[in-house]
Each structure stands twice: as structure tokens, then as C-alpha cells.
């Protein structure tokens, strides 16, 4: 994110600048939920931060079991580090087993990020921007998918340019929009847009709606595509959007009553 190439070519980044904190601490191998699972806590918005906290099992430099944990969504401004750290430590009350593993002097590494946005210019004559020069996913805060997909798009665009001997790279933006990460961006950004507003988050309530009979919700689709078990283009399908519209219709009345203070 701190590269100077956009400054050199007078193409400033348009995405929102955010701060992510990450840490590691010793993991209790006897705690089953962190043996092979990623845990995500979406209660962070109640602290005025449109992000989430995560915990997943990992290995330290010496091969010892550790917890990789952190918090995303903080605005990049004065005091953000302290606010993010306070929110992270506060939500540990929701996870007492993990809280017991966290040392009293836990240290966080700060990572400034720029969100990906489709209005960001990704190419100009003989120049292509890839990876975090395009931005990171505004929902997950990660940049690996953008890096991998933009690298592939850039390679295809360069190959075509060499064949045609024309280097304006006019097809690069189209290739980015057709990449695997883009449908995930569309769904995740929708959540983020409402995350700064009225709480509880309507889209989160709708997306996590419990169903019976093996029926899926938005989170089921998202995790399946994010993990690579399903092609992300399913998020454009009539089946997916039909499910979304039905869940909106079912969730909206109860959410309106809750926000209005009339929930039973």
C-alpha cells in the first residue's frame, strides 16, 4: 500500500484508508474450536468500527501452536490503534477460553490498507497496477485474492498487448471485474456500506438467517466461494439473488421493529 508508483504516475488511490491490527499468542492445543477452524466475531460495529475480529490456529516460527488474531475496519486516523486495541480486548469477553490465552502484554502489528474500489484506475499507457496497488477487500481486509487475480489479469493483458503491439491495456478493468474476487467484493461491500449506519446491521441479520432443511443463506454461499469450494460467479446467479430477496422479505419486518424499539 505504501508503494510510490501511483504518485509517480499521478494516479492517486481512491479507496478508503483503513487500519488493521494483527497479533499472535500461544494457543492451547486442547481448545477444540481452534484446532482447525477460523472464528470471526462481527460484534465490533457496536464500538463504532465497521469491521470484525478473527482468531485462527497457526504455527509460530519454532513450530509451536499459536493463535493468529486481529481486528479490521478502523479508520486510518489519530487514535485508531488505541481504539482498535480496546475494542479487540473488549470482545474477548465473548470468548473466555481465548481470553485466557492472551498475555497481559499482548502486542499488535499495525497494517495500513487501502480498500479496492471499481472506480480506481488500474492501468494507463504501458503501466499496470496489481496487488495492493489496486487495494484490499473492504469486507475481509485481505489482499491475497486481489493480488492473485490481478496478477493473472495483468499477465493475460500483457500477453494480448505483445501480440497486438498495442499497450494501452484497455481490457484490464474488464478482466478485473471478471476475476474470482469481484463477486465476493460486491457482496462484502454491501455489508460494509450499512455497517457504518444503523445497528444492528440489517444485512448481517439477513445473511446469517437460520434455515431448515439444508437450505443456504448468504454466509453459506460466501464461505463456500471464499474457500474455493464453489465458483464465485454463483453469487451472480438467479438462485443466489432469489434467495437474497426472499430472506430480505422475511428479515426486514422484524429488523424494523427491533430498530424502532418495538421488538417483543
Amino acid at each position: 500500500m505504501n508503494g510510490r508508483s501511483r504518485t509517480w504516475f499521478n494516479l492517486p488511490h481512491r479507496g478508503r484508508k483503513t487500519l488493521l491490527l494483527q497479533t499472535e499468542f500461544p494457543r492451547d492445543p486442547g481448545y477444540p474450536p481452534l484446532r482447525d477452524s477460523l472464528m470471526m466475531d462481527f460484534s465490533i460495529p457496536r464500538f463504532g468500527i465497521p469491521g470484525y475480529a478473527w482468531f485462527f490456529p497457526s504455527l509460530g516460527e519454532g513450530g509451536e501452536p499459536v493463535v493468529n488474531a486481529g481486528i479490521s475496519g478502523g479508520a486510518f486516523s489519530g487514535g485508531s490503534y488505541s481504539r482498535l486495541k480496546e475494542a479487540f480486548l473488549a470482545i474477548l469477553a465473548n470468548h473466555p477460553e481465548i481470553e485466557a490465552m492472551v498475555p497481559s502484554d499482548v502486542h499488535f502489528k499495525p497494517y495500513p490498507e487501502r480498500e479496492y474500489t471499481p472506480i480506481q484506475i488500474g492501468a494507463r499507457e504501458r503501466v499496470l497496477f496489481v496487488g495492493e496497488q489496486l487495494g484490499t477487500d473492504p469486507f475481509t481486509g485481505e489482499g491475497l485474492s486481489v493480488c492473485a487475480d490481478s496478477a493473472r489479469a495483468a499477465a493475460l493483458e500483457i500477453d494480448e498487448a505483445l501480440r497486438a503491439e498495442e499497450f494501452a491495456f484497455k481490457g484490464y478493468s474488464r478482466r478485473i471485474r471478471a476475476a474470482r474476487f469481484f463477486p465476493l467484493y460486491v457482496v462484502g461491500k454491501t455489508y460494509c456500506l450499512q455497517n457504518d449506519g444503523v445497528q444492528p446491521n440489517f444485512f448481517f441479520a439477513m445473511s446469517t438467517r437460520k434455515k431448515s432443511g439444508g437450505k443456504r443463506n448468504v454466509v453459506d454461499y460466501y464461505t463456500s466461494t471464499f474457500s474455493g469450494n464453489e465458483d464465485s460467479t454463483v453469487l451472480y446467479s438467479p438462485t443466489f439473488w432469489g434467495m437474497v430477496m426472499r430472506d430480505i422479505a422475511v428479515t426486514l419486518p422484524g429488523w424494523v421493529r427491533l430498530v424502532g424499539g418495538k421488538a417483543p
Side-chain angles (χ1 to χ4, degrees):
M1 191 212 76
N2 294 319
R4 304 294 295 172
S5 55
R6 286 197 172 275
T7 302
W8 297 336
F9 295 109
N10 195 29
L11 292 172
H13 210 301
R14 303 297 182 188
R16 185 174 75 104
K17 192 174 183 180
T18 61
L19 183 67
L20 176 152
L21 302 186
Q22 182 269 335
T23 187
E24 286 185 352
F25 47 84
R27 171 167 53 93
D28 178 2
Y31 181 52
L34 280 181
R35 286 179 183 169
D36 56 7
S37 299
L38 164 65
M39 297 176 62
M40 304 172 75
D41 188 314
F42 288 93
S43 65
I44 298 301
R46 64 191 176 93
F47 298 97
I49 300 169
Y52 69 97
W54 74 86
F55 311 91
F56 67 82
S58 186
L59 296 176
E61 294 182 0
E64 71 281 7
V66 299
V67 177
N68 184 307
I71 181 172
S72 71
F76 192 85
S77 60
S80 288
Y81 181 97
S82 296
R83 287 193 294 271
L84 284 169
K85 182 177 180 179
E86 289 173 5
F88 179 89
L89 296 177
I91 64 99
L92 285 176
N94 300 335
H95 314 281
E97 295 88 352
I98 297 177
E99 185 177 28
M101 304 179 202
V102 180
S104 59
D105 59 345
V106 62
H107 174 72
F108 294 86
K109 296 179 182 178
Y111 293 95
E113 298 185 321
R114 286 278 190 184
E115 289 185 0
Y116 166 78
T117 172
I119 66 172
Q120 177 67 60
I121 296 175
R124 60 175 297 178
E125 186 77 22
R126 296 181 179 270
V127 177
L128 285 168
F129 293 101
V130 298
E132 293 195 9
Q133 285 299 317
L134 285 179
T136 59
D137 187 294
F139 175 56
T140 64
E142 63 90 22
L144 289 177
S145 57
V146 179
C147 287
D149 288 349
S150 62
R152 182 178 187 276
L156 293 172
E157 192 70 9
I158 292 170
D159 179 67
E160 184 174 304
L162 290 171
R163 295 173 188 273
E165 297 185 353
E166 202 283 321
F167 298 94
F169 302 129
K170 295 179 179 179
Y172 186 57
S173 294
R174 172 183 53 79
R175 294 185 192 276
I176 292 296
R177 291 192 298 271
R180 287 178 56 88
F181 85 88
F182 196 80
L184 291 165
Y185 161 80
V186 172
V187 173
K189 185 59 178 178
T190 302
Y191 166 80
C192 292
L193 287 173
Q194 204 247 331
N195 217 13
D196 280 326
V198 177
Q199 297 297 323
N201 186 298
F202 169 74
F203 289 107
F204 183 74
M206 181 272 293
S207 300
T208 57
R209 177 174 171 257
K210 293 182 179 180
K211 298 185 177 183
S212 60
K215 294 182 179 179
R216 305 166 75 186
N217 59 28
V218 174
V219 169
D220 293 328
Y221 275 98
Y222 190 94
T223 54
S224 179
T225 55
F226 185 81
S227 63
N229 291 331
E230 194 168 7
D231 194 283
S232 60
T233 55
V234 71
L235 300 179
Y236 291 150
S237 69
T239 300
F240 174 77
W241 285 104
M243 177 272 300
V244 168
M245 298 309 296
R246 288 191 296 271
D247 283 0
I248 287 176
V250 172
T251 306
L252 186 58
W255 179 80
V256 171
R257 290 193 299 271
L258 182 62
V259 171
K262 300 178 181 179

